[in-house]
């Protein structure tokens, strides 16, 4: 048989390598920024079009490349940064694999211009899908400009796989932040679709953080400083009271390289033990300096993971350094974290205007009419719930649970009796048909058996449909705030909120002004407590950033989902009887009561048959 093994041509090998190095425009941003830093630049500009899908360009004033180096830089395993394997353990550079430019050139149109300081003219090279299209002598400033256009032009599957511009831009900005935070002594600028989004002058670390995340950040930072033989820690953690629901602002650098480490993240979280509200995450901006011999950054192609020789010591040192700082800056636990949910206003009443209690005297009171009267009252009061309850049965019956039949099939005398009482009760008195279990589930008797509802998911569904309706018919009622509410966000969060302004207004929000870092709100949707507004918007921003937009992605839908998630009653909240009933009724008035907005089961049923089976023995 003929030989079948072939060596892959270079451009194919490069495309495959590109799959590991370049997942999205942000990966290109990372590689190009890192190359600029390695080249010793102190001014770096990043230019983006269409979230990087059309263009990612990095211009630096670093040392540039000679003609030969310019051409060689696109070869695979071409690097100036290591010569042998030992060099891997003394790395002071970001790159070392010599793969980035070769990979990027395999899947995009690349234009390189570069000049070294002592040369009069520089080199321009154009490469498209690994093919060198042209190489010229050009007049260009000292340093390097790499423009990467039409990413994945020759791999449509990957291009289609890219997310919306909002999501991709978020990744690009994240990457930009990571690099900029690790290098405050370099000035960075980011231009997105022609406008300047960030301009970060050379500064100290604290100023760099503030320049990126907004002036409000300054007061939130607690310095952390620790210098030991094995490890130097410097940076800041966020004060616990500013902890966020999302993990957004968590930055961890090892020898100026952004690193993800669940283990060390845990060390930080544990230093905050008892200081954070549940479900919130502290921000941190921490730099660790360790001997390059004690780490291995070679384990991951995108170089964001790292192996430490002695993780346990690092863990302990990090934890105690942060604890120490928090203690020193007098950040003591706040007392009211564990609120008793029973003391909260039930969600149903939060919407209601407060009413002064009043005494009513019924002058026509006739004790002999009592019975009739109270019966009439009961009927009037129960009218609406009864109607909705009927609809609940309709929905369930359509699933083939015809209860009448179920009960006629019951064979044993004693059970027959129970069954008839059960039905009677259901028809006559509905006040005792719900029961709350573990502040989590609402149990309700229905004709065919019982219904178990997840209160959090069910309420999400109800709110979601409400919000969606408001967004569609654009008739939401807004509740005027006595004093305008000023909320602080980072400039890029403001951009997102601004994009959603129209939709937010359709839910009932009223915005009076947008500034770079603040937004003033004068009205909120009816039923939304003022205290929740910042959490809702924060959650919304993070949802927009992380949403995987499918074909029917719409801002309105996302907004409705996000607000429903923020506002739904939580597991653990105890509900009054009438709240429980209200929840059940509202759920079954929904278009899709069976699932939460994120497609999770909202209720399960158990028929009497199924219960009977459990009692067979
Ligand atoms: P690596 O960074 O791992 O060495 P790259 O493919 O990213 O691999 O780059 C290959 C080589 O091209 C680098 O080692 C460097 O010598 C050169 N190079 C890339 N970008 C620049 C730049 N902006 N300025 C100067 N030299 C650069
Ligand atoms: Mg590189």
């Amino acid at each position: 048989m003929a030989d079948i093994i072939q060596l892959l041509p270079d451009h194919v090998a490069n495309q495959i390598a590109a799959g590991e190095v370049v997942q999205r425009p942000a990966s290109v941003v990372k590689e190009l920024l890192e190359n600029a830093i390695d080249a010793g630049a102190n001014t770096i500009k990043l230019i983006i079009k269409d979230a990087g899908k059309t263009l990612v360009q990095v211009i630096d004033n670093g040392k540039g490349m000679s003609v030969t180096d310019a051409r060689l830089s696109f070869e695979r395993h071409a690097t100036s940064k290591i010569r042998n394997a030992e060099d891997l353990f003394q790395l002071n550079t970001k790159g070392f694999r010599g793969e980035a430019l070769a990979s990027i050139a395999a899947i995009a149109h690349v234009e390189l211009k570069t000049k070294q300081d002592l040369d009069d003219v520089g080199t321009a090279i154009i490469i498209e899908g690994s093919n060198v299209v042209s190489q010229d002598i050009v007049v260009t400033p000292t340093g390097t400009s790499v423009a990467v256009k039409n990413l994945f032009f020759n791999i449509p599957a990957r291009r289609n796989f890219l997310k919306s511009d909002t999501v991709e831009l978020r990744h690009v900005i994240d990457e930009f932040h990571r690099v900029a935070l690790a290098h405050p002594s370099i000035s960075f600028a980011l231009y997105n679709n022609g406008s300047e989004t960030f301009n970060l002058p050379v500064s100290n670390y604290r100023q760099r953080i503030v320049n990126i995340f907004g002036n409000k950040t300054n007061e939130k930072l607690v310095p952390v400083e620790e210098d030991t033989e094995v490890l130097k820690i410097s940076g800041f953690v966020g004060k616990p009271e500013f902890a966020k629901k999302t993990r957004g602002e968590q930055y961890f650098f090892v020898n100026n390289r952004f690193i993800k480490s669940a283990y060390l993240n845990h060390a930080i979280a544990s230093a905050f033990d008892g200081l954070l509200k549940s479900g919130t995450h502290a921000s941190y901006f921490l730099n660790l300096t360790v001997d390059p011999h004690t780490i291995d950054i070679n384990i991951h192609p995108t170089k964001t993971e790292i192996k430490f020789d002695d993780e346990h010591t690092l863990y302990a040192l990090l934890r105690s350094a942060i604890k120490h700082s928090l203690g020193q800056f007098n950040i003591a636990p706040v007392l009211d974290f564990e609120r008793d949910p029973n003391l909260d206003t039930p969600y149903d009443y939060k919407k209601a205007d407060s009413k002064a209690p009043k005494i009513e005297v019924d002058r026509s009171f006739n004790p002999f009419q009592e019975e009739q009267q109270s019966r009439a009252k009961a009927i009037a009061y129960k009218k609406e719930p009864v109607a909705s309850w009927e609809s609940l049965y309709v929905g369930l019956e359509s699933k083939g649970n015809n209860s009448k039949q179920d009960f006629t099939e019951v064979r044993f005398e004693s059970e027959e009796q129970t069954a008839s009482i059960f039905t009677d009760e259901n028809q006559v008195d509905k006040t005792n048909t719900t029961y709350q279990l573990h502040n989590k589930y609402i149990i309700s008797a229905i004709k065919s058996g019982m219904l178990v509802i997840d209160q959090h998911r069910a309420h999400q569904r109800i709110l979601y449909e409400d919000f969606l309706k408001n967004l569609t018919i654009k008739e939401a009622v807004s509740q005027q705030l006595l004093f305008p509410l000023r909320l602080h966000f980072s400039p890029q969060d403001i951009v997102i909120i601004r994009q959603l302004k129209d939709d937010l207004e359709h839910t009932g929000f009223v915005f009076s002004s947008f500034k770079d870092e603040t937004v003033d709100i004068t009205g909120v949707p009816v039923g939304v407590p003022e205290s929740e507004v910042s959490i809702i918007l924060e959650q919304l921003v993070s949802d927009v950033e992380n949403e995987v937009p499918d074909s029917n992605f719409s801002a309105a839908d996302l907004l409705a989902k996000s607000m429903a998630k923020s506002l739904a009653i939580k597991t653990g909240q105890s509900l009054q009887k009438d709240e429980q009933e209200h929840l059940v009724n509202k759920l079954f008035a929904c278009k899709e009561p069976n699932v939460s907005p994120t497609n999770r089961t909202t209720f399960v049923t158990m028929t009497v048959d199924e219960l009977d089976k459990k009692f067979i023995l």
Side-chain angles (χ1 to χ4, degrees):
M1 212 175 142
D3 298 334
I4 49 172
I5 297 182
Q6 292 184 359
L7 276 179
L8 289 175
D10 260 3
H11 70 274
V12 178
N14 283 339
Q15 272 197 14
I16 295 171
E20 285 195 325
V21 182
V22 185
Q23 278 110 29
R24 50 175 19 125
S27 331
V28 176
V29 168
K30 172 180 174 6
E31 295 297 338
L32 297 187
L33 290 177
E34 290 189 346
N35 280 348
I37 292 165
D38 285 346
N42 60 20
T43 303
I44 300 177
K45 275 186 197 147
L46 169 62
I47 299 167
I48 298 292
K49 277 203 187 116
D50 304 323
K53 293 172 183 169
T54 315
L55 173 74
V56 175
Q57 182 175 18
V58 170
I59 305 173
D60 70 55
N61 65 350
K63 64 178 186 242
M65 285 179 263
S66 69
V67 187
T68 325
D69 282 355
R71 186 64 174 261
L72 263 180
S73 67
F74 290 102
E75 293 296 324
R76 206 139 66 94
H77 307 308
T79 179
S80 55
K81 299 168 194 174
I82 57 169
R83 307 222 165 261
N84 49 47
E86 276 89 74
D87 289 352
L88 273 178
F89 300 98
Q90 346 248 5
L91 275 181
N92 290 313
T93 53
K94 309 267 164 196
F96 54 85
R97 289 172 175 257
E99 275 177 335
L101 286 185
S103 301
I104 294 167
I107 48 155
H109 298 159
V110 178
E111 294 173 22
L112 167 83
K113 282 185 192 165
T114 186
K115 184 181 93 68
Q116 292 182 310
D117 195 20
L118 296 176
D119 296 340
D120 295 329
V121 287
T123 311
I125 296 180
I126 297 183
I127 298 195
E128 299 186 346
S130 296
N131 298 317
V132 180
V133 175
S134 68
Q135 174 164 352
D136 295 299
I137 294 169
V138 287
V139 176
T140 181
T142 298
T144 304
S145 154
V146 183
V148 176
K149 299 180 176 171
N150 308 321
L151 189 66
F152 298 131
F153 78 99
N154 52 356
I155 315 181
R158 304 212 71 180
R159 199 173 165 85
N160 295 338
F161 188 70
L162 292 178
K163 308 277 194 290
S164 70
D165 282 7
T166 315
V167 174
E168 292 301 341
L169 183 63
R170 178 73 254 174
H171 286 289
V172 166
I173 291 177
D174 275 349
E175 212 55 75
F176 178 80
H177 284 170
R178 291 168 181 177
V179 176
L181 279 171
H183 299 276
S185 58
I186 298 176
S187 89
F188 288 92
L190 167 59
Y191 300 85
N192 176 36
N193 289 337
S195 62
E196 185 182 270
T197 314
F198 287 97
N199 189 345
L200 310 172
V202 173
S203 62
N204 65 26
Y205 192 44
R206 188 173 192 127
Q207 286 165 332
R208 176 57 54 98
I209 296 172
V210 170
N211 285 336
I212 292 179
F213 296 103
N215 287 325
K216 259 279 166 181
T217 320
N218 199 17
E219 70 189 66
K220 303 181 187 174
L221 300 176
V222 182
V224 180
E225 234 29 90
E226 186 72 67
D227 209 342
T228 71
E229 265 174 32
V230 279
L231 166 77
K232 188 170 170 298
I233 304 171
S234 72
F236 300 90
V237 292
K239 290 182 186 162
E241 65 263 39
F242 297 108
K244 292 193 158 196
K245 288 238 169 192
T246 57
R247 292 178 174 273
E249 293 167 8
Q250 300 190 329
Y251 295 88
F252 199 66
F253 303 92
V254 176
N255 296 354
N256 292 333
R257 192 188 289 277
F258 175 81
I259 288 300
K260 290 180 189 152
S261 165
Y263 184 66
L264 294 181
N265 179 54
H266 191 271
I268 299 166
S270 83
F272 275 89
D273 249 1
L275 294 173
L276 295 177
K277 284 189 205 172
S278 76
T280 64
H281 308 277
S283 337
Y284 55 82
F285 311 88
L286 292 169
N287 301 302
L288 264 59
T289 315
V290 296
D291 182 345
H293 284 277
T294 64
I295 51 172
D296 181 1
I297 40 183
N298 204 11
I299 53 173
H300 197 270
T302 55
K303 297 165 284 184
T304 52
E305 275 161 36
I306 197 170
K307 218 166 120 290
F308 297 98
D309 281 357
D310 187 359
E311 279 198 323
H312 299 307
T313 312
L314 292 194
Y315 185 103
L317 285 173
L318 191 58
R319 183 168 181 270
S320 80
I322 295 172
K323 272 192 160 247
H324 180 73
S325 289
L326 290 173
Q328 210 173 25
F329 288 84
N330 256 339
I331 296 169
V334 181
L335 286 175
D336 75 346
F337 285 152
E338 291 296 308
R339 278 188 313 171
D340 181 350
N342 290 317
L343 300 178
D344 286 349
T345 320
Y347 74 100
D348 218 19
Y349 296 131
K350 283 186 182 163
K351 299 173 186 170
D353 297 332
S354 56
K355 281 187 199 120
K358 48 183 176 183
I359 300 161
E360 266 177 287
V361 181
D362 183 358
R363 293 184 197 284
S364 63
F365 179 68
N366 173 351
F368 302 106
Q369 282 177 356
E370 191 188 23
E371 220 188 295
Q372 271 177 318
Q373 247 187 4
S374 65
R375 206 177 287 160
K377 252 192 213 155
I379 291 167
Y381 176 65
K382 283 292 161 198
K383 196 160 185 176
E384 203 239 333
V386 171
S388 319
W389 272 102
E390 300 299 319
S391 74
L392 164 61
Y393 300 150
V394 173
L396 290 164
E397 267 167 12
S398 70
K399 285 190 169 163
N401 296 329
N402 191 319
S403 50
K404 282 237 170 68
Q405 229 140 32
D406 285 352
F407 292 126
T408 49
E409 272 170 26
V410 175
R411 267 155 252 155
F412 305 104
E413 250 184 39
S414 59
E415 282 183 357
E416 185 138 39
Q417 227 178 5
T418 319
S420 74
I421 288 168
F422 178 81
T423 338
D424 252 352
E425 210 165 274
N426 225 349
Q427 279 165 355
V428 176
D429 175 24
K430 300 203 161 45
T431 49
N432 276 328
T433 48
T434 62
Y435 174 79
Q436 191 182 25
L437 189 70
H438 289 280
N439 288 344
K440 181 171 187 190
Y441 297 111
I442 310 293
I443 316 281
S444 169
I446 50 168
K447 281 188 185 172
S448 63
M450 74 175 192
L451 184 67
V452 183
I453 299 176
D454 181 310
Q455 64 185 45
H456 177 61
R457 292 180 186 179
H459 197 215
Q460 273 196 43
R461 161 57 57 184
I462 296 164
L463 292 174
Y464 168 70
E465 292 200 4
D466 272 357
F467 284 129
L468 209 56
K469 195 171 77 203
N470 290 341
L471 282 163
T472 326
I473 58 174
K474 305 184 173 157
E475 271 182 1
V477 198
S478 145
Q479 136 202 341
Q480 209 46 38
L481 295 179
L482 213 48
F483 303 102
L485 189 62
R486 169 158 293 182
L487 298 178
H488 296 264
F489 289 96
S490 67
Q492 64 272 26
D493 289 355
I494 292 281
V495 172
I496 293 179
I497 297 171
R498 210 191 262 273
Q499 276 169 4
L500 292 169
K501 179 171 172 279
D502 286 354
D503 278 330
L504 281 165
E505 285 178 344
H506 293 142
T507 66
F509 278 100
V510 182
F511 297 96
S512 62
S513 86
F514 276 96
K515 302 250 166 53
D516 278 358
E517 296 181 13
T518 57
V519 47
D520 289 349
I521 296 173
T522 52
V524 296
V526 171
V528 171
E530 198 174 323
S531 56
E532 296 283 309
V533 173
S534 76
I535 295 171
I536 292 172
L537 292 182
E538 205 181 280
Q539 181 71 53
L540 178 67
V541 168
S542 109
D543 285 350
V544 169
E545 287 167 349
N546 299 318
E547 177 75 355
V548 184
D550 42 31
S551 49
N552 55 12
F553 169 81
S554 85
D557 188 67
L558 187 67
L559 178 60
K561 268 189 199 148
S562 181
M563 290 191 25
K565 186 162 71 187
S566 299
L567 287 169
I569 46 162
K570 304 281 178 302
T571 297
Q573 190 165 334
S574 116
L575 299 177
Q576 307 289 325
K577 268 278 180 290
D578 51 349
E579 294 172 323
Q580 299 170 20
E581 282 183 18
H582 185 75
L583 188 84
V584 177
N585 288 327
K586 288 279 279 184
L587 177 66
F588 288 97
C590 283
K591 289 205 180 87
E592 271 186 82
N594 313 30
V595 286
S596 78
T598 46
N599 258 330
R600 288 154 183 262
T601 307
T602 48
F603 68 87
V604 293
T605 54
M606 193 176 258
T607 62
V608 174
D609 264 2
E610 282 167 317
L611 284 169
D612 286 346
K613 283 194 190 117
K614 292 199 185 292
F615 288 101
I616 264 172
L617 289 181

